[in-house]
Amino acid sequence: LVIEAVFEDLDVKRAVFAKAAAAARPDAILATNTSYLDPEAIFAGIAHPERCLGLHFFSPAQVMRLLEIVALNATSAQTLASGFALARLMGKTPVRAGVCDGFIGNRILKVVRAQAERLLLAGASPAQVDAAMRAFGMPMGPFESQDLGGLDIAAFQRKAARARGETPFAPVAERLCALGRLGQKTGGGWHDYAAGDRTPRPSETVEREIRAAAQEAGSKFQTLTERDMQRAILLPMVDEGATILREGIATRAGDVDLVKIHGYGFPRWRGGPMHWARAQGLDHVLSELDALAARGLAPAPGEGLRKAAAAGTF
């Protein structure tokens, strides 16, 4: 088994696998750890494609238990089963995922980040959004988390998305990256940080950039409660999860929950976003999301959630 974990660049990964395929036995499994790139494109032209699959470890890989196992069109049942066997040997929690941008977990993460910025344009501060999500049970808020990992990671992903003809939503993040505010490693991202101290502090620069982005977008500030902020992030997560299920990227709702709990810190005692939504009542979730959309705080619900609400389950 060969697992590639090089830089997220398609040409680099293809070059690695061209050499790996030439050096390894023809029945050796070739696995990519890509987070966002299309594994089908990574392995295009590789001999014996039935031995290829995605093994998406979560960072730090020696700590995080989640392992997304991504089956390609040509991946054999034996190769897929081997991926699950490897996860068991490593003490990981495996979840099968289909091929799409971000698979299960990072696809929902993109929604979280977009919604967090939408709240900023509606008048919330990064500290308020972070506090609201910690109050829900998350170990860190979305902006604290980005500061820890680095804003440049998502910026690189947005660049790749634009190259594919997509239009990522990150009006404030783009401004901060242009200023070189990439998180804790540069002394400031969504928050300011003192040297040697990871405590987030409010930033006048960020406040100014939020106001400028809101003015450019024609957004009007609203009075937002803690519940408003929580629901504006959580309900679009559920909506995206329903779309992922409808597309067959995830096999079952419980798999989405496993990914969010073991890879992204969703509070375990709430059972994951899909379980949490069922407990709320999917018809209630749908009506709340419709109300948030009417206020400009979220996109309109998708067909997947509407059908799930009608059926009463995912």
Side-chain angles (χ1 to χ4, degrees), residues 247-259:
E247 294 176 359
I249 300 300
T251 305
R252 57 184 72 88
D255 283 353
V256 177
D257 289 335
L258 285 172
V259 167

Side-chain angles (χ1 to χ4, degrees), residues 11-266:
D11 292 335
V12 174
K13 289 183 183 290
R14 284 178 55 81
V16 166
F17 280 116
K19 292 181 179 180
R25 290 185 344 205
D27 62 341
I29 295 173
L30 304 180
T32 175
N33 182 51
T34 185
S35 301
Y36 284 94
L37 297 177
D38 182 357
E40 299 284 1
I42 291 173
F43 291 114
I46 293 293
H48 307 289
E50 69 280 356
R51 60 178 171 160
C52 301
L53 83 166
L55 292 178
H56 180 212
F57 291 81
F58 283 70
S59 181
Q62 76 276 18
V63 174
M64 300 298 286
R65 289 187 60 191
L66 179 64
L67 175 59
E68 283 183 323
I69 298 181
V70 185
L72 285 68
N73 290 330
T75 301
S76 70
Q78 181 178 351
T79 298
L80 188 62
S82 296
F84 277 86
L86 175 69
R88 182 173 64 252
L89 289 170
M90 298 181 72
K92 301 293 186 183
T93 299
V95 174
R96 179 175 178 168
V99 175
C100 70
D101 186 34
F103 310 129
I104 298 172
N106 281 339
R107 178 166 164 176
I108 295 177
L109 178 61
K110 286 196 299 182
V111 172
V112 171
R113 288 176 173 169
Q115 284 303 110
E117 289 209 38
R118 210 178 299 275
L119 287 170
L120 299 183
L121 300 187
S125 70
Q128 288 172 330
V129 176
D130 283 343
M133 297 312 294
R134 286 198 308 273
F136 179 78
M138 300 294 289
M140 299 181 73
F143 296 114
E144 295 168 313
S145 178
Q146 288 183 60
D147 278 352
L148 181 62
L151 276 69
D152 49 330
I153 298 174
F156 180 81
Q157 293 158 357
R158 290 194 298 272
K159 180 180 178 181
R162 285 192 292 270
R164 296 192 300 267
E166 302 171 18
T167 307
F169 180 83
V172 186
E174 292 288 0
R175 289 172 172 270
L176 299 185
C177 289
L179 294 175
R181 295 183 62 93
L182 304 180
Q184 291 186 17
K185 60 189 174 186
T186 60
W190 292 102
H191 307 278
D192 284 341
Y193 299 88
D197 187 358
R198 294 180 180 270
T199 304
R201 295 174 171 82
S203 168
E204 293 182 1
T205 300
V206 173
E207 291 176 10
R208 183 177 66 248
E209 295 302 323
I210 290 172
R211 288 195 298 269
Q215 184 176 10
E216 185 177 292
S219 301
K220 295 182 179 180
F221 285 1
Q222 306 178 32
T223 300
L224 299 172
T225 65
E226 180 179 84
R227 179 185 173 87
D228 286 336
M229 289 183 279
Q230 291 172 347
R231 290 308 203 256
I233 290 177
L234 293 165
L235 300 188
M237 287 176 64
V238 173
D239 181 61
E240 189 69 15
T243 301
I244 286 170
L245 287 169
R246 187 164 184 257
E247 294 176 359
I249 300 300
T251 305
R252 57 184 72 88
D255 283 353
V256 177
D257 289 335
L258 285 172
V259 167
K260 299 313 292 182
I261 288 170
H262 292 295
Y264 298 86
F266 196 93

